Structures are given as structure tokens and as C-alpha cells.
Amino acid sequence: MNRIDAKFSELREAGRKGLVGYLTAGDPDIAASEKSIIAAVKNGVDVLELGMPFSDPTADGPTIQAAGKRALDAGMTVTKLLAMAGRIRHVSDVPIVLFGYANPFFSYGYERCCRDAAEAGVDGMLIVDLPFEEADELRCHLDKHDLYYVPLIAPTTGSERIGKVLEGARGFVYYIMVTGVTGAREQMATGLEDRVKTLKGLTDLPLAVGFGVSNGEQARLAAKKADAVVVGSALVKAAQAGTLESLVSELRSALDE
Amino acid sequence: MSESDIMSEQPDSRGHFGEFGGRYVAETLMPVLIELEAAYKEAVKDPDFMSEFSRLLRDYVGRPSPLYLAERLTAACGGADIYLKREDLNHTGAHKVNNTVGQALLARRMGKNRLMAETGAGQHGVATATAAALFGMECVVYMGEEDIERQAPNVKRMELLGAEVVPVSSGTRTLKDAMGEALRAWVATVDDTFYVIGSVAGPHPYPAMVRDFQRVIGDEARGQVLAMAERLPDMVIACVGGGSNAAGIFCAFIEDADVKLVGVEAAGLGIETGKHSASIGSGRQGILHGTKTYLLQDEHGQVLNAHSIAAGLDYPGVGPQHSAWAESGRVKYVSITDEEALAAFHKLTRLEGIIPALESSHALAETAKQAKAMGKGRILVVNLSGRGDKDVDAILRKDEG
């Protein structure tokens, strides 16, 4: 069984909300980032989005842009990302989703990437700039290794399109709550509950909501109707400030309230 | 997609030119691009839209632009007759305005009242700000901090036209990052904002749409050369950054199998130095800014910085249809260094009294080589895509330095 499925059914049985955490691999260097990631996982991150940095992160706000730059300056590559995933797998059963932009993976070769990812103990991939129309050339290789392609749904995605995005989707669905780039926001999205309800009517897959969640209170609100909440930029910032463990604990206890 | 489809110029339903093109963007933008594509397809079938576009090209842009037999340049090169397609005589000084007028018309039709653009040298920014002023729209232009310093007069022009110029401080602080920032801003403002992309780059439908709006260059040139020389040219040459002026002139000749087509990339300080913008000449397939195309990138798939003396060619990617044309062999792509382009700049200025843009000077440098090799009695058409007023300061600084 794919670890993503196992984790969500475990959460469902326990009646708990999931915490999906994003961190940029290699920020500020490989050793330090690996340490942060393992600490985050041990403190309550249920699904790890392991971020591959890219030179041109067009969907990211300043926090993740800066983290990506630090990681690239430290020499992060897909090869090193896969090796890191393998080491994380040695110490944890956390589901690992590789997260990033298409080009570094395309350059590495989709077929080779999926084979090596499966070997390293990765469970899925989420590629920001690979909508379903362009995803087949990656998905055919993911499928071979029982790796999941995690679909994204945006506030602009209409219901007819949602159906197509969800075709053959596995693992969980990531709903982006706001139109914009990644990053912490003071104001939370409005109309979220209706949207989540609509989505719930269209799929049985667990639903994770994200974009702009930065503290426990926001996480609790966002997770109300969803199965999990995604936190990215706030974790990246906390890792930089040395407060990652306390933020993860805060998020965890807010979700468990 | 077969080669004959590439030759017929239209991408497949998802915007692929052979194995290039497509739509590699965040999900948030997908519905917007699909809506734009539908609106565009509908608009070009509407006679009112097309006649309004033609009227503006004629009365506002000043089309048709002349095709000029450059006799002194021809004599100096000692070979083929050289005809210049005078896009430099357009309002705002380059071919860019053909496209911005078209996209602004489409924005108005779609009920969007705010235009957004990226710019390198500032030509596309000025052309977008011009169209925004013409239609009474708001305009925001993203421009790298380094380009803002290099191209101060164009920044002032945009501001005079009422546009807000937003400095981009990320990455290389040039065109590549301006486009990245524009895409980020667009994601957050998709409801009321129309993104006017300035080249045949970006996600579908932009590469096809921008080419269609620029096709007027080639259609005119083909008719003009037939009228003047009573036959088709042997060769057509244009410079290629993203490649909109080249796509615009090439597509009218694509089916004329005997007409050789040559695209000229920027070799910068020399291909061997790594400081250039020759994406087709020395890049490999990759994905950037919504499209799959030839791309300057390192072995790990990280995009490299481009270099060219011409800010308008200073981009690490190229329009996907050019990649497809390179792959099929229909268009040949070569490259010209900064130094060769500068020599061509001075040559045309002195021989013909026409100051060309540094971008167009790349095409002129290749023209001199080809004209000589082709010999007398042959005909060569070169797209003089813009005028060089914007480059005068930089040339002066270079001569003094």
C-alpha cells in the first residue's frame, strides 16, 4: 500500500486532521535542511512535501524564492534530492512527495527519476507547472512504480475541469485556497467551506487545503471541512529562524483540538 | 503531429508545435489561458474585430511599412539585392506595436481594463503602454532593475504614457525575471488583468496568437517583393530572441519551399564563452515560462543567464515554434556576436542613413554574409525589426569606453 493512502486512512480512523508540510530541500545547505526536515516529521508533519528548488519559481512568493536560491547556491540537484529522500526514508515512514517545477525533473529524465524515486522510498510527485494536459509523459512512469501524481485544484478551476483533473488521481487532492503565489497571508480565503463541500462531492480522495496558512489558528480554520492542511512558507521561515519544532507543535495541537 | 502540420503553422489543440510548446503553468492559470484561447479564436472570426485591427494598423501604426531596396548596402556587400522590411518606421519604432494593438483590442473585447506586460529593452513595454493609453486602460510593466538602468529613456516614455513600471530585483534582474514576476503578478490578478506577452513565447495560445498578430509583416513583405521584383526572394532573414518578428515574417513564406529562411540568434561574446543567447544553437529541450522549447540550462535543469548586447535578445529561451522549425529543418538558425552586430549597426547607419536597433543589427550582420555568398541577381529580404534610437546612448558609451 502506498504510504500516502496508509497515512490518510490512519488519520481518518483516528479522527484526526493531517498536516502536510513543505520544506525546500538543501536550504540553507543539505545537512542543515535534512536535520530540519527530520525534526519537522518527528514533531507531527504527516506528509512531507520535499521541495526541489528551481532557478525560475514563477508560482512562489518571496519566502520560497529565497529558500530556493539558498538551496541552489548550496548545490542542490535532483540527484541529491533523491539521495536525501532515501536517508529520510531510513529514519521515518512519513509519506514523501517530491515537489517542484518540471524542468529539473524533465532534465534528469522522467523515467529515470521515477525509478530512482521509487527506489529511494518516495511516494508521489507534485509538479506545480505540469497541469493534467501535460502530465501524461510523467504519469506513465509514475504509474509503473505505483507513485502518485498529486493533482492541484485552484479557485479558478471550474467544475467541469475539476472532473478532468481528478481523473485517475490518487493519494490526495491539493486545493489551493487563493489565487496568488505561495506565502503567508494575514487574511484567510473566503468561501472556502462551500468550495471544499463541492470538491468533497466530486471525489473520495482526502482533501488538503493550503496557500497562506501560517499559524495554528489559521490551520484549524482551514482544516475544518478538509482532511488536511498544507503549510509551506511558514515552515521555511521557521526553519530559518530556528523555531521550526515549535511551529510544527503549534500546528499539530491546533489541528488536534 | 506530423511535419505537414508544422508546415501549416497551427499547433495542435493543446498548443503543441511537434514536441514543443504546450501549457506548462500553475493550475490557477490554466482556466484563464483556455478562456483566452477561446476568446481569441472567436475574435479572429469576427469581421468587426479584424477590420478594427486592420484600421488601427493602417491609421495608427502606419502600415503597410515600406519594403526598401537598399542599393548602397547591396553594392557594399557585393552580392544579392538586399530589401529591408521597414518595421523601424512603425509608430513607437518597432514591430512590437502590431502585437500590443491586437492584444489590447482583445482585452477590451474580453472586458478587461488593465494590461500587464514584461519588458527587456523596454520596446514591448512602451508598445503596451501606448496601446493602454490609446484604449484608456491601466497598464503595469514589469522590468528588471538592470534593464531599468540600461534603458532609462524607455522607462520615462512608459511613465509619460501613464504606465506604472515595477522594478524586478529577483534573479538576473533582466527580461527572464521580469517575465517570471509578471507571471506571479498575473496569478494574483487574473480577474481583471490581461497579460500582454511580447513575444511568441509563453504558454499556449500566446506563441500562435502573437505570431498571428505579427503575420502582417510577412504578408506585406511577400506582396511587396512580388510587386517590386516580380518574384519571390531567395532568402528571408530575421533576428530571434523570443522570435516574434521572425515568426511574423517567416510564416508568410513557410510554404514557399524555395525561399530559404534564416533566424539569427545572439552569440554575445562568442558561443564558446558561454555568454550568449543562442538557445537553439547551444541549448537543449526544457520547460520555462509555460512552454517546452530549446533552453539555455545547466546539466541539472537550472536555467542559465543569457547575454547579448541587445537587451531584446537577452533571453535564455525561444518561441516553441522556432524550436519546431529548427527541428524540421525548415528554418536555419545561425548566430551573430555582439561585435559583428555592432559593425552592422554602423554599416547601415553610414551607408543608408538608417539607424537600426541592435537586435535588428544581428539580422543585418548575417545579411551581409549571405548576400555576398549568394551572389548577384539573387534577392534577400531582411526584417529591420526596429530603429536604434534607444541604443544610441549605449553605443556612445561603448565608443567612449
Side-chain angles (χ1 to χ4, degrees):
Chain A
M1 190 186 215
N2 187 298
R3 290 179 199 87
I4 297 172
D5 293 337
K7 175 57 78 176
F8 277 104
S9 63
E10 176 196 316
L11 286 166
R12 192 176 301 138
E13 277 160 30
R16 298 175 76 206
K17 304 287 185 181
L19 175 60
V20 180
Y22 168 95
L23 282 160
T24 303
D27 167 37
D29 59 59
I30 290 174
S33 107
E34 196 168 320
K35 225 175 122 193
S36 299
I37 288 165
I38 290 170
V41 167
K42 299 229 151 132
N43 279 277
V45 166
D46 298 303
V47 176
L48 173 64
E49 289 181 348
L50 189 60
M52 174 64 208
F54 182 45
S55 52
D56 296 80
T58 50
D60 283 305
T63 303
I64 294 180
Q65 281 182 51
K69 181 156 193 321
R70 289 190 296 269
L72 288 175
D73 289 344
M76 199 63 206
T77 64
V78 171
T79 308
K80 291 176 185 170
L81 178 86
L82 292 167
M84 187 191 280
R87 291 193 298 273
I88 296 167
R89 176 57 65 234
H90 274 296
V91 298
S92 168
D93 282 334
V94 69
I96 301 175
V97 176
L98 303 183
F99 190 107
Y101 294 82
N103 202 53
F105 298 108
F106 177 73
S107 170
Y108 188 87
Y110 288 151
E111 184 172 7
R112 180 177 157 222
C113 178
C114 293
R115 187 195 62 210
D116 295 353
E119 210 162 280
V122 166
D123 305 286
M125 286 179 82
L126 199 166
I127 308 296
V128 182
D129 55 351
L130 207 60
F132 77 85
E133 286 93 336
E134 304 292 352
D136 284 351
E137 61 175 342
L138 172 62
R139 275 170 89 159
C140 67
H141 298 297
L142 287 170
D143 289 348
K144 262 185 235 159
H145 298 281
D146 198 32
L147 298 176
Y148 289 176
Y149 183 75
V150 178
L152 279 169
I153 288 174
T156 48
T157 315
S159 38
E160 192 188 327
R161 185 170 169 82
I162 290 175
K164 289 184 196 159
V165 173
L166 294 177
E167 233 168 74
R170 295 192 294 170
F172 67 98
V173 178
Y174 184 164
Y175 177 63
I176 303 170
M177 295 189 288
V178 291
T179 54
V181 293
T182 57
R185 287 172 173 80
E186 277 175 23
Q187 287 246 295
M188 290 290 288
T190 51
L192 180 64
E193 288 195 14
D194 288 347
R195 233 2 227 186
V196 166
K197 217 165 136 191
T198 311
L199 280 171
K200 281 279 180 190
L202 292 167
T203 178
D204 293 332
L205 288 175
L207 195 63
V209 297
F211 264 48
V213 178
S214 58
N215 57 40
E217 178 58 13
Q218 290 181 336
R220 198 180 56 78
L221 287 174
K224 253 187 187 168
K225 300 281 171 195
D227 302 289
V229 61
V230 187
V231 182
S233 299
L235 292 187
V236 169
K237 252 188 205 160
Q240 211 190 348
T243 56
L244 182 62
E245 289 175 42
S246 64
L247 177 60
V248 173
S249 306
E250 177 193 334
L251 292 164
R252 185 70 271 165
S253 51
L255 289 174
D256 288 341
E257 258 171 39
Chain B
M1 182 188 223
S2 70
E3 195 179 19
S4 66
D5 289 326
I6 293 173
M7 294 314 210
S8 73
E9 301 156 57
Q10 289 308 327
D12 73 10
S13 64
R14 289 176 177 178
H16 298 109
F17 299 93
E19 50 190 315
F20 303 97
R23 273 194 276 242
Y24 293 84
V25 295
E27 174 60 26
T28 310
L29 291 179
M30 282 302 295
V32 185
L33 291 168
I34 290 166
E35 181 197 347
L36 171 63
E37 183 192 1
Y40 172 63
K41 280 189 173 157
E42 200 188 278
V44 294
K45 282 191 206 127
D46 177 355
D48 290 342
F49 178 87
M50 292 313 286
S51 79
E52 179 66 355
F53 182 47
S54 300
R55 183 185 74 85
L56 287 170
L57 288 181
R58 185 189 67 224
D59 300 343
Y60 185 74
V61 174
R63 305 205 70 92
S65 67
L67 186 73
Y68 165 69
L69 172 59
E71 290 182 357
R72 299 231 310 143
L73 180 67
T74 297
C77 293
D81 288 342
I82 300 169
Y83 289 80
L84 307 177
K85 179 59 177 164
R86 299 289 310 274
E87 290 300 296
D88 61 313
L89 293 176
N90 292 340
H91 178 45
T92 73
H95 69 288
K96 293 288 186 189
V97 71
N98 302 326
N99 170 49
T100 60
V101 165
Q103 288 196 46
L105 264 177
L106 185 58
R108 187 175 71 180
R109 188 185 164 92
M110 292 174 75
K112 309 227 175 189
N113 204 36
R114 184 170 179 269
L115 301 183
M116 194 180 81
E118 81 295 334
T119 198
Q123 290 304 102
H124 173 59
V126 167
T128 305
T130 298
L134 175 64
F135 290 107
M137 292 173 172
E138 249 185 86
C139 183
V140 184
V141 179
Y142 291 84
M143 187 168 186
E145 280 181 343
E146 186 176 325
D147 288 335
I148 287 180
E149 287 160 27
R150 287 199 283 192
Q151 311 281 341
N154 271 344
V155 175
K156 201 75 218 156
R157 286 168 82 191
M158 286 183 266
E159 287 171 352
L160 285 172
L161 288 159
E164 180 195 351
V165 179
V166 180
V168 175
S169 59
S170 56
T172 57
R173 302 156 71 233
T174 60
L175 178 57
K176 171 176 88 96
D177 296 282
M179 188 151 180
E181 201 57 40
L183 281 167
R184 282 185 199 108
W186 196 31
V187 172
T189 56
V190 287
D191 288 344
D192 66 340
T193 302
F194 188 104
Y195 181 17
V196 181
I197 291 185
S199 195
V200 288
H204 181 61
Y206 286 99
M209 178 172 73
V210 174
R211 178 207 60 206
D212 291 349
F213 285 140
Q214 293 292 1
R215 192 193 160 101
V216 64
I217 305 172
D219 286 339
E220 282 177 10
R222 195 172 182 282
Q224 288 164 323
V225 73
L226 281 173
M228 291 165 81
E230 293 176 344
R231 70 177 184 85
L232 286 170
D234 298 285
M235 186 180 284
V236 176
I237 298 182
C239 66
V240 177
S244 68
N245 89 79
I249 197 165
F250 289 165
C251 68
F253 294 96
I254 279 284
E255 283 166 22
D256 301 318
D258 293 336
V259 179
K260 291 197 177 87
L261 304 174
V262 178
V264 185
E265 295 191 298
L269 301 178
I271 298 290
E272 68 289 350
T273 65
K275 292 191 187 312
H276 61 80
S277 305
S279 321
I280 294 176
S282 74
R284 60 194 166 84
Q285 259 194 49
I287 297 158
L288 178 69
H289 294 156
T291 195
K292 188 186 277 184
T293 191
Y294 282 113
L295 195 59
L296 299 178
Q297 55 186 316
D298 70 13
E299 57 177 316
H300 303 295
Q302 304 295 341
V303 180
L304 293 170
N305 299 341
H307 168 85
S308 171
I309 191 174
L313 303 182
D314 200 344
Y315 183 70
V318 63
Q321 190 162 26
H322 287 291
S323 293
W325 280 334
E327 197 80 357
S328 75
R330 178 63 187 94
V331 180
K332 190 179 164 210
Y333 294 86
V334 299
S335 63
I336 285 291
T337 63
D338 287 354
E339 209 174 305
E340 291 172 306
L342 270 173
F345 173 95
H346 288 296
K347 191 170 178 177
L348 189 75
T349 302
R350 287 300 178 90
L351 285 172
E352 298 285 351
I354 297 170
I355 302 178
L358 280 173
E359 289 78 9
S360 322
S361 299
H362 286 71
L364 291 164
E366 181 63 19
T367 295
K369 290 183 188 177
Q370 295 282 358
K372 186 152 194 251
M374 287 161 78
K376 289 204 164 80
R378 301 283 176 164
I379 296 176
L380 195 161
V381 172
V382 55
N383 198 9
L384 185 54
S385 57
R387 71 176 84 126
D389 305 26
K390 69 183 177 64
D391 298 313
V392 170
D393 284 349
I395 302 271
L396 280 176
R397 279 200 300 270
K398 201 162 178 73
D399 288 349
E400 283 162 9

